[in-house]
Amino acid sequence: MTTTVLPATHPLNTDTASSWLVSAYRGERPDTTPVWFMRQAGRSLPEYRAAREGLTMLESCLRPQVAAEITVQPVRRHRVDAAIFFSDIMVPLRLAGVDVVILSAGTYMPMRAWDLTVDTARQTVHTNLLGVVDGVAAVVPQLLRQRGGAIAIVGGVAGYRGLPEALAYGPSKAALINFAETLYLDLAPNGVSVFIINPGLVATSLSARPDCELPTLLSAAEAARRIVRGFAGGRFEIHFPRRFTLMLKLLRCLPYRIYFRVAARSGVRRNDG
């Protein structure tokens, strides 16, 4: 076993050594119990809700007096010896400007009609659709102010038409495609670019399916290269691999009676339960 000796000037050998938090780590019992607070913990405090009344999250962060007040509230209430400054991940974008925002929140759970539950469907829609909507709502004001930049939304080919095992995932991606189209109509005339990225099968943890072998898997690095090329080309829709995605686009043109036969052959599974 190797023992590391800290230099005399190291913080743990000076003032920090006597802090409540470090004392507790050493197994001692300080006169005040230290507590590590994440920012979100403050949301349960009535004084936090009062300080933020009528203000958005970003407005609260950008007003020094409000941000300082929210920061010290847990310290004042619980006498902890440290605070994490109240801020938000969108603050740097607001202050420095936005070039390209890529919104790619996503989750996938295979789901058939007999597997459907409200909670599971709500979780999928909340992540895939509302997570993206939250991000867009946060950046659009800044993009309109600077009359430039771009929003790229990662949708998916599952949004083209109904597919087996995508009872909640498919509708969430279809909604994203529609959402991006409508955004384009509003933002493009104001100098803001909008892209919808509809990848086929990319090798990620979401596409790892031990129960079946998936065709036309691209590496994440290759998918990233194709996305960058799509940005450079200025196309609204970026989709790949093209042989696979063009086949699915063709299916969108088929009448329902033909489409249902084709789709059923690829994924029919009866409910044996």
Side-chain angles (χ1 to χ4, degrees):
M1 178 177 176
T2 303
T3 301
T4 302
V5 179
L6 299 176
T9 56
H10 192 280
L12 289 179
N13 284 331
T14 54
D15 295 341
T16 306
S18 59
S19 72
W20 293 330
L21 188 63
V22 175
S23 297
Y25 284 158
R26 289 198 299 261
E28 301 170 5
R29 289 182 175 271
D31 55 2
T32 298
T33 302
V35 180
W36 183 272
F37 269 88
M38 293 181 66
R39 176 177 60 79
Q40 286 83 353
R43 294 179 180 178
S44 64
L45 303 181
E47 56 264 40
Y48 168 84
R49 294 195 293 271
R52 275 206 54 204
E53 186 175 2
L55 299 175
T56 67
M57 172 67 74
L58 196 55
E59 288 171 339
S60 302
C61 295
L62 294 175
R63 296 189 181 187
Q65 289 182 328
V66 176
E69 166 61 23
I70 293 174
T71 298
V72 300
Q73 284 176 352
V75 179
R76 187 185 300 132
R77 175 182 278 256
H78 299 290
R79 295 186 61 210
V80 294
D81 60 345
I84 301 173
F85 191 76
F86 179 78
S87 190
D88 186 78
I89 193 171
M90 299 306 298
V91 169
L93 297 180
R94 173 67 174 82
L95 299 178
V98 181
D99 185 10
V100 178
V101 177
I102 301 177
L103 300 159
S104 59
T107 186
Y108 169 68
M109 287 168 279
M111 188 185 300
R112 297 283 187 152
W114 47 86
D115 301 319
L116 177 64
T117 66
V118 172
D119 288 343
T120 305
R122 183 179 287 117
Q123 179 183 346
T124 300
V125 172
H126 188 274
T127 301
N128 294 0
L129 176 59
L130 298 184
V132 170
V133 172
D134 285 344
V136 169
V139 300
V140 161
Q142 172 64 21
L143 292 169
L144 289 175
R145 275 191 293 270
Q146 67 189 40
R147 296 192 66 83
I151 295 174
I153 295 172
V154 178
V157 294
Y160 287 165
R161 290 202 81 159
L163 295 173
E165 297 192 349
L167 196 58
Y169 179 79
S172 72
K173 294 301 183 179
L176 283 178
I177 294 171
N178 188 290
F179 180 63
E181 291 170 349
T182 307
L183 272 180
Y184 182 93
L185 294 173
D186 288 342
L187 296 182
N190 289 284
V192 179
S193 300
V194 177
F195 299 93
I196 181 72
I197 303 168
N198 290 323
L201 297 169
V202 179
T204 67
S205 58
L206 286 182
S207 63
R209 296 286 305 276
D211 57 330
C212 67
E213 185 176 347
L214 298 175
T216 58
L217 277 174
L218 286 180
S219 69
E222 177 59 25
R225 284 190 286 270
R226 298 193 185 197
I227 290 171
V228 171
R229 287 201 297 267
F231 289 159
R235 297 188 299 271
F236 167 71
E237 184 187 14
I238 302 169
H239 60 94
F240 52 82
R242 294 185 70 81
R243 181 178 299 179
F244 179 66
T245 55
L246 288 174
M247 178 186 69
L248 291 177
K249 282 177 174 289
L250 177 62
L251 292 179
R252 288 198 296 183
C253 302
L254 296 178
Y256 278 121
R257 60 186 179 84
I258 300 176
Y259 170 71
F260 286 144
R261 289 178 193 168
V262 174
R265 289 194 193 116
S266 66
V268 164
R269 179 166 59 87
R270 297 183 183 279
N271 177 20
D272 298 323

